[in-house]
Amino acid sequence: MANFQTVEVTTDLLIVGGGMAACGAALEASYWGKKNGVKVTLVDKAVPDRSGAVAMGLSAINQYINYGKGVNSLEDYVRYVRQDLMGVSREDLVYNIARHVDGTVHLFEKWGLPIWTDENGNYVNEGRWQLMINGESYKVIVSEAAKNAMKDAGNEIFERVFIIGPIMSSDGSRVAGAYGFSTREEKFYIFKAKAVMCAMGGAVHVFKPRSTGEGLGRSWYPPFNSGSSTYFEIMAGAELTCQEIRFIPVRFKDAYGPVGAWFLLFKSRAISAGGGEYMAVRKAELNNWAPYGLAKPIPANLRNYLGMLDVEAGLGPLYMETHEAIANLAKQYEGDPKAFKKKMKELESEAWEDFLDMTISQAILWASMNIAPEEKHSEIAACEPYFIGSHSGGSGGWVSGPPDLKGKGKLLDEYFWGGVGNMTTVPGLFAAGDATGASSHKFSSGSFAEGRYTGKQAVKWILEHNSLPACETAGLKEKALAPIELYEKNKGFSTDDDYNPNYLKPFMFMFRLQKLMDEYAGGVVSGFKTSKALCERGLELLEFLKEDAEKLGAANVYDLERCWENTHRMWQAEAHIRTILFREETRWPGYYFRADTPKMDNQNWLCFVNAKYDSKAAQWSMRKVPIGPICD
Ligand code: SFD
Ligand code: AMP
């Protein structure tokens, strides 16, 4: 530890994270900051060009309203999200993102992102809300714009600095910064700020992945995001919401290729080997989840659930009927061999590009398994659970609604505070993207748009609270580097560095967490089922794990990063179990099933569940918050 230099940085607005939301915030806050003398600093554990969920690229922009031309209204989108989340969404937040997102998509195009267009120059829609893109370089394009804006305003970006947690003001009344360390050099960082925006994405590897030894680390969600947003918010004392709404996507099996284009653009069917088209055969099951089960589009979790029922009944594997879909699309050209051949080539290349744009490994898997999508179907499967509130999950921070929407529809007054939007319940701590809950289906474009909005709101708040709060940073360096210190003291005690009675290496720790979550909190192994008794036992075991977190050992900065990632995952896990335990119903079968309360109970549980941690008292508190819609 003696070798670690301490670097102290003072700024006005600190943005933690370098993903879609953070890039949006950097762009907008740089603009407003430059006008108003507000300095902005961004810190990413990786490099924004290729960090976060969009690192590998994407093949679609999943949120585009197209309301300028009157195609859809903002209310249409609000209703869509309400329906997909089984009634649970903060409609002020969803509406706010929707009204800003189209402009953001137009900016992406201006910066050079190729969006598919048809012969009339109109965007090609995948589904009602999704646009097809050639998106391999999506993140590079977006981050370039953010970096240029930061540079133009004289702002600074710190790359490869891992943020551990918040620094609070001495009087505890607001956030005062963040602390972390370099993942390349022996440097410990203290960032002091007037306001902080938290945008460190969601979490993966909290649950045991389907691929373990043979393909460890393989998952749908990128391994770089490990629950840092949740940990940051928990430790700041901010209220969290929808922590039970994990996301389980159904994907092409083992390499996690996207299915959206197959279902929506190619109009493909999914079947099980033994049961036929599960969405048709099991339709009656949807009556049990009315009104959501009976309206369109059928919520993502219910689509998952019907497939899972077939798998449970031993009717698997599940297949995407790619060959059938391609044949259907090419059918109308059958009379003209030349046109037919051309159409087949076009469909074939679209099918491969869908993977090459965002999940290259799926294209490799297809090639290695001799799969030609026009010839035979491919296996699909439900993934393990992830935390990604910006997609079809809902977990994140509880933030203030946009002030101008107060009083609209039946929105509750309690959604609004602080005179600004997207601020957590901790003054000065803002959030966007996966770090904000109950505002699902914002995806890449909506996260960037929400980031822009939040960056602007944070600058406004700073101008109204323009002082650097006093704070206490003693002890933070020791805490951050404790795993290195422990390792240094005890290394050499055993013959194998990975096994030592005095410390625990981060991988071992992660395996323990994953086993616990898998077995008690409804992971793959337990068929996504849990119960009160299982959650309670899971929490007991989590307490032991928490004790052992003090014994994490790190041989170097790489290990140190793994140690903190896993500590972050552990707290995300606890927020999740506690919220599942509190909500005594099953609302999202297909994501998780509370076997002891197997039905949806709209009378008692059509509400948000919010969780908060008091770090001084080491106590969680949970509460229900009513849902107030913005429109019918
Ligand atoms: O369809 C720290 N998403 C898709 N969105 C679309 O619009 N189209 C698609 O095609 C999409 N698909 C998709 C999507 C996500 C994933 C995982 C896959 C496929 C495989 C959703 C979007 O990607 C998502 O909504 C946004 O990216 C969310 O934005 P944001 O900013 O909340 O998260 P981020 O972009 O992952 O960035 C997180 C950043 O935080 C950094 N970070 N920095 C410092 N310290 C720490 N401790 C940190 N921990 C994390 C990261 O480095 C990163 O910069 S589809 O197939 O589903
Ligand atoms: P995915 O590739 O599954 O992430 O899907 C991309 C987008 O399409 C998301 O907005 C999904 O909610 C939506 N989507 C995927 N499959 C379906 C489906 N079968 N019905 C309706 N929407 C879907």
Side-chain angles (χ1 to χ4, degrees):
M1 200 174 92
N3 298 332
F4 273 73
Q5 182 194 342
T6 300
V7 182
E8 197 170 307
V9 178
T10 301
T11 188
D12 294 325
L13 172 61
L14 177 69
I15 300 171
V16 291
M20 291 306 286
C23 285
L27 180 89
E28 201 71 22
S30 289
Y31 176 82
W32 294 104
K34 191 178 172 187
K35 273 183 181 245
N36 292 286
V38 172
K39 186 180 166 198
V40 183
T41 302
L42 182 145
V43 189
D44 190 352
K45 75 189 267 195
V47 176
D49 298 20
R50 287 280 179 192
S51 70
V54 186
M56 232 198 299
L58 294 178
S59 57
I61 283 178
N62 281 348
Q63 189 188 12
Y64 183 71
I65 313 297
N66 204 358
Y67 77 100
K69 292 182 187 151
V71 176
N72 294 303
S73 69
L74 301 178
E75 286 79 6
D76 288 335
Y77 202 76
V78 167
R79 286 188 206 103
Y80 164 62
V81 179
R82 182 194 295 162
Q83 158 72 6
D84 198 67
L85 268 292
M86 309 289 281
V88 181
S89 63
R90 271 279 299 281
E91 300 193 356
D92 52 330
L93 302 179
V94 175
Y95 184 95
N96 188 41
I97 297 165
R99 69 178 165 174
H100 289 113
V101 75
D102 287 4
T104 276
V105 172
H106 301 151
L107 272 184
F108 292 165
E109 194 178 30
K110 191 175 133 202
W111 295 332
L113 179 71
I115 304 180
W116 293 16
T117 48
D118 63 17
E119 55 278 7
N120 302 317
N122 295 320
Y123 291 150
V124 173
N125 271 75
E126 179 183 271
R128 184 171 178 189
W129 312 107
Q130 302 85 359
L131 302 179
M132 296 302 295
I133 59 172
N134 298 106
E136 189 278 338
S137 301
Y138 190 2
K139 189 67 199 304
V140 182
I141 291 167
V142 161
S143 81
E144 185 182 39
K147 285 194 301 191
N148 285 343
M150 289 285 278
K151 201 169 155 200
D152 178 55
N155 292 326
E156 214 175 346
I157 296 181
F158 289 81
E159 294 177 343
R160 302 196 192 285
V161 173
F162 183 95
I163 293 296
I164 297 178
I167 297 174
M168 302 306 290
S169 65
S170 304
D171 63 2
S173 67
R174 61 194 266 195
V175 72
Y179 66 106
F181 58 92
S182 163
T183 61
R184 289 291 184 275
E185 306 164 293
E186 298 199 329
K187 283 185 180 169
F188 170 71
Y189 280 90
I190 295 271
F191 295 94
K192 292 183 177 169
K194 293 171 185 166
V196 178
M197 177 178 148
C198 176
M200 293 181 283
V204 64
H205 290 152
V206 174
F207 282 85
K208 190 186 280 180
R210 281 187 182 272
S211 302
T212 50
E214 85 295 351
L216 183 66
R218 220 188 306 152
S219 56
W220 172 76
Y221 196 64
F224 334 112
N225 291 346
S226 52
S228 299
S229 296
T230 306
Y231 180 84
F232 200 97
E233 290 167 348
I234 290 174
M235 291 306 154
E239 200 164 18
L240 305 174
T241 192
C242 299
Q243 289 299 313
E244 73 279 42
I245 317 181
R246 54 170 77 176
F247 177 44
I248 299 180
V250 161
R251 286 294 178 264
F252 283 93
K253 190 166 177 293
D254 293 332
Y256 302 96
V259 299
W262 283 101
F263 280 130
L264 302 178
L265 186 72
F266 295 118
K267 313 269 182 274
S268 180
R269 293 187 318 138
I271 61 153
S272 66
E277 187 180 357
Y278 54 82
M279 292 306 295
V281 177
R282 293 195 179 269
K283 199 166 171 228
E285 173 63 30
L286 296 172
N287 294 325
N288 296 328
W289 309 97
Y292 315 106
L294 302 179
K296 290 271 164 59
I298 296 164
N301 65 290
L302 291 179
R303 299 198 301 266
N304 286 0
Y305 185 52
L306 298 196
M308 284 173 186
L309 289 175
D310 267 17
V311 171
E312 250 175 50
L315 301 172
L318 306 181
Y319 289 104
M320 182 73 84
E321 297 293 89
T322 56
H323 56 314
E324 178 189 82
I326 289 182
N328 285 341
L329 289 172
K331 212 181 191 123
Q332 53 174 306
Y333 301 87
E334 264 172 7
D336 179 346
K338 212 169 144 201
F340 181 76
K341 204 171 159 198
K342 188 167 166 250
K343 186 68 189 171
M344 283 299 284
K345 262 276 146 296
E346 189 184 302
L347 291 167
E348 208 184 300
S349 75
E350 282 174 3
W352 285 90
E353 166 152 6
D354 189 37
F355 292 162
L356 291 171
D357 273 349
M358 66 181 291
T359 322
I360 299 153
S361 45
Q362 185 71 57
I364 296 170
L365 192 68
W366 264 8
S368 69
M369 289 187 162
N370 300 327
I371 291 177
E374 68 281 16
E375 284 171 11
K376 68 173 173 190
H377 59 197
S378 286
E379 243 188 282
I380 53 172
C383 304
E384 59 277 358
Y386 311 109
F387 298 89
I388 174 165
S390 65
H391 203 292
S392 315
S395 53
W398 180 248
V399 296
S400 54
D404 66 302
L405 293 185
K406 193 171 172 184
K408 192 170 165 59
K410 292 185 181 145
L411 293 173
L412 303 190
D413 282 355
E414 74 162 294
Y415 300 162
F416 301 89
W417 61 89
V420 282
N422 275 71
M423 189 166 78
T424 66
T425 53
V426 171
L429 178 58
F430 291 78
D434 293 319
T436 307
S439 46
S440 323
H441 287 275
K442 47 195 159 186
F443 301 102
S444 62
S445 45
S447 294
F448 190 92
E450 191 188 26
R452 286 177 69 192
Y453 174 80
T454 309
K456 186 174 174 185
Q457 295 293 296
V459 170
K460 179 174 181 274
W461 191 86
I462 287 172
L463 293 173
E464 288 160 5
H465 304 80
N466 212 343
S467 62
L468 197 67
C471 61
E472 188 49 71
T473 58
L476 290 179
K477 185 173 184 180
E478 289 70 20
K479 180 178 167 183
L481 305 180
I484 296 230
E485 193 71 4
L486 190 68
Y487 173 86
E488 281 301 320
K489 258 195 207 141
N490 295 291
K491 70 178 177 188
F493 191 82
S494 58
T495 49
D496 185 331
D497 204 41
D498 282 342
Y499 305 93
N500 190 303
N502 302 312
Y503 64 74
L504 178 65
K505 277 296 196 77
F507 257 124
M508 291 292 185
F509 183 88
M510 185 179 77
F511 293 142
R512 244 176 83 185
L513 172 67
Q514 291 179 346
K515 178 170 158 58
L516 188 167
M517 293 304 285
D518 208 36
E519 293 176 354
Y520 297 94
V524 170
V525 129
S526 41
F528 309 111
K529 290 188 200 72
T530 183
S531 66
K532 180 171 188 278
L534 281 162
C535 284
E536 282 172 351
R537 178 66 184 141
L539 284 174
E540 272 173 37
L541 295 172
L542 209 49
E543 270 316 302
F544 289 126
L545 192 67
K546 258 193 190 164
E547 282 174 17
D548 290 350
E550 307 288 321
K551 299 278 182 222
L552 277 162
N556 48 44
V557 286
Y558 305 108
D559 261 4
L560 187 63
E561 185 177 4
R562 303 288 165 253
C563 288
W564 278 108
E565 284 174 347
N566 286 315
T567 300
H568 290 180
R569 288 187 176 108
M570 178 181 73
W571 284 87
Q572 172 64 79
E574 182 167 2
H576 186 51
I577 300 190
R578 285 189 185 278
T579 315
I580 290 184
L581 184 59
F582 186 77
R583 182 182 278 281
E584 292 174 334
E585 65 157 357
T586 295
R587 179 161 294 265
W588 300 275
Y591 289 171
Y592 76 87
F593 203 88
R594 264 274 310 244
D596 52 339
T597 54
K599 293 205 170 121
M600 187 167 71
D601 173 2
N602 276 333
Q603 200 149 17
N604 295 301
W605 291 102
L606 181 53
C607 63
F608 303 106
V609 170
N610 285 9
K612 194 172 149 178
Y613 184 68
D614 175 345
S615 50
K616 282 207 181 88
Q619 253 172 19
W620 286 87
S621 54
M622 313 291 299
R623 70 176 183 121
K624 287 183 181 185
V625 185
I627 295 171
I630 197 169
C631 56
D632 292 339

